[in-house]
Amino acid sequence: MSVDMNSQASDSNEEDFGADIASYYEGVASDVEQQSADSFDPEEYQFTCMTYKESQIMLTEEVNTVAAAMKVLPAVAKLILVHFHWQVSQILDRYKSNSSLLLSDALVQPSSTCRSVTAPQSLQCGVCLQVVRRDSLLALPCQHSFCKACWEQHCTVLVKDGMGVGISCMAQDCSLQMPEDFVLPLLPGEELKDKYRRYLFRDYVESHFQLQLCPGADCPIVIKVQEPRARRVQCSRCSEVFCFKCRQMYHAPTDCATIRKWLTKCADDSETANYISAHTKDCPKCNICIEKNGGCNHMGVFCLLTDFCWMCLGDWKTHGSEYYECSRYKENPDIVNQSQQAQAREALKKYLFYFERWENHNKSLQLEAQTYQRIQEKIQERVMNNLGTWIDWQYLHNAAKLLAKCRYTLQYTYPYAYYMESGPRKKLFEYQQAQLEAEIENLSWKVERADSYERGVVGGEGELSASDRGDLENQMHIAEQRRRTLLKDFHDT
């Protein structure tokens, strides 16, 4: 399996699920000082980033183990391993109990139920029907014989189409797999052979239950885990952050299948939802057009004596200290007894409810990224002017970073809630979601207030008081604990 992986191109065409979240997780947990030493982190996940050479050595060792135990060629052992997802112990156990069944299941040996084919008496190729010399006829263990030229064309076309593992016999209704030592001599030119080796390596890694290729562009790193789960991993070379299980953008607490359904639905219904994607809404009192210019949903305008919520335009005080009514969709219990048109309207109303909140938190992340950038620049300016060290101002940096981390998790709670069945568990989830949202909005409000202080917008330029700083750090701790509690209870384990 000798391959120059520097020339390997990314074969994936994943959608971009959102902004890069790599920096959200770097050093945040250790900076929240109030966390106890034994606090449980539901996102903790052990993984290793391997180079191509390291992963090749690992694969070769497993191939040699299976080949020696089953007394087959390494090329055949690779096909068996791919079929059974490289679970070596299970393969060897099955081989001991019924070796013939295992080989036929892996499509490297004809099954006993298949029509037996004897060695060909005719010198005619079964594809081009040309009469050829006997030494020009080639066959797999199924004994379906074809001329070398037809085999070459068959393999060349499939490899040019990007196929590695999976090239099978040309005979109709025969799925017997072609091992690499059968295919390689049939490929014309070293360039095509190198492509085939790269495709093989890709297929070997993608079929391995403990490995995933980094989805970063032109990145050769392979991620290895002990137990495959839908958890956050990050490439040590290109810093790409993704879900190990589906190789898409990290999406906790929503599982891989659900987030795929949600994103497909969002893409299909994008025109329907366009009208709610604008940044503006009408003031609930004077109907003047207002624009949201920060990440926090806690809004205030001059015409109102009380503040209001951006999402539902209701009085901010009515949201309560812990439970957001506007984050929970109120189902119509009688909808099943109404007309199909009414049910369709209700389904659209429900989707728009969750989509609006999903989109709102995505936009809040973008706005808060601007606040984070301002804080970074202000800290740098103060350090350069000898107005303290980086450590003196790091609490603001940590607060903005943690805010983004918490809001990112909150954004992905809405697809989770949209597809949940009604019942006690959904009520518990909505309660924890609302608690998390309330604490995130409180943290966002405090971070924006701190940013305003630092820019001299509120009460003159200067740092926050010791009590304000303590209040901000305490809010960081509360928000992170809410986030961890929700993930512990609802993230797929």
Side-chain angles (χ1 to χ4, degrees), residues 18-19 71 82 171 199 204 211 223 278 290 299 304 314 322 376 470:
K71 297 180 175 57
V82 167
Y199 297 151
Y204 295 153
L211 302 180
I223 310 293
I290 55 176
M299 307 295 292
L304 286 174
E322 290 189 351
Q376 288 280 82

Side-chain angles (χ1 to χ4, degrees), residues 395-408:
Y395 70 96
L396 285 176
H397 166 269
N398 293 339
K401 208 172 189 180
L402 181 67
L403 173 60
K405 179 181 177 181
C406 290
R407 193 178 291 283
Y408 186 88

Side-chain angles (χ1 to χ4, degrees), residues 475-488:
Q475 187 61 43
M476 289 169 62
H477 171 67
I478 294 172
E480 174 64 1
Q481 289 305 309
R482 295 290 192 208
R483 191 186 75 87
R484 289 192 176 195
T485 299
L486 185 146
L487 290 177
K488 178 174 69 70

Side-chain angles (χ1 to χ4, degrees), residues 15-262:
E15 295 179 36
D16 182 5
F17 285 8
D20 181 14
I21 62 166
S23 61
Y24 297 176
Y25 286 78
E26 293 173 358
V28 174
S30 60
D31 293 325
V32 182
E33 297 177 357
Q34 293 92 334
Q35 290 177 3
S36 60
D38 59 347
S39 60
F40 170 71
D41 184 359
E43 292 183 301
E44 184 177 354
Y45 193 48
Q46 299 299 320
F47 62 91
T48 305
C49 296
M50 301 194 300
T51 63
Y52 164 72
K53 186 176 181 180
E54 292 169 338
S55 52
Q56 187 187 43
I57 291 172
M58 172 188 163
L59 293 173
T60 302
E61 288 176 353
E62 294 184 355
V63 168
N64 291 339
T65 298
V66 171
M70 298 179 61
K71 297 180 175 57
V72 295
L73 293 173
V76 175
K78 290 173 186 176
L79 292 177
I80 297 170
L81 283 161
V82 167
H83 184 81
F84 293 103
H85 304 292
W86 298 77
Q87 301 197 45
V88 176
S89 59
Q90 292 185 19
I91 291 172
L92 297 182
D93 289 342
R94 288 194 58 176
Y95 180 75
K96 292 175 183 176
S97 61
N98 192 330
S99 59
S100 297
L101 180 60
L102 178 133
L103 294 173
S104 61
D105 285 349
L107 302 176
V108 297
Q109 174 180 291
S111 65
S112 57
T113 59
C114 290
R115 180 172 57 90
S116 60
V117 179
T118 58
Q121 301 298 317
S122 170
L123 299 180
Q124 188 181 53
C125 171
V127 173
C128 66
L129 303 179
Q130 296 293 316
V131 177
V132 297
R133 294 170 52 186
R134 188 176 295 276
D135 58 4
S136 294
L137 287 174
L138 302 175
L140 293 169
C142 58
Q143 298 302 319
H144 294 125
S145 296
F146 306 97
C147 71
K148 185 177 180 182
C150 287
W151 280 116
E152 287 176 350
Q153 186 175 10
H154 176 65
C155 294
T156 299
V157 169
L158 291 176
V159 171
K160 284 183 176 179
D161 285 344
M163 185 170 286
V165 175
I167 301 178
S168 60
C169 176
M170 290 189 287
Q172 186 176 6
D173 300 327
C174 182
S175 302
L176 210 67
Q177 300 292 295
M178 297 170 61
E180 63 182 67
D181 59 0
F182 188 94
V183 176
L184 274 169
L186 299 172
L187 298 176
E190 287 302 316
E191 183 179 354
L192 192 59
K193 290 180 180 180
D194 285 341
K195 279 188 177 180
Y196 177 60
R197 293 188 184 100
R198 289 200 299 274
Y199 297 151
L200 285 174
F201 179 77
R202 174 202 65 198
D203 293 344
Y204 295 153
V205 172
E206 290 181 353
S207 63
H208 200 297
F209 76 108
Q210 291 180 311
L211 302 180
Q212 282 285 21
L213 286 166
C214 173
D218 300 319
C219 185
I221 294 298
V222 174
I223 310 293
K224 179 187 177 184
V225 300
Q226 287 302 313
E227 181 185 355
R229 299 170 73 183
R231 291 292 183 270
R232 176 189 179 274
V233 294
Q234 182 174 7
C235 177
S236 60
R237 183 177 183 268
C238 68
S239 299
E240 184 81 9
V241 174
F242 59 99
C243 166
F244 177 83
K245 198 169 183 180
C246 66
R247 293 179 69 236
Q248 303 288 358
M249 180 63 76
Y250 184 57
H251 47 75
T254 308
D255 61 74
C256 302
T258 300
I259 198 61
R260 278 195 296 270
K261 282 197 299 183
W262 172 256

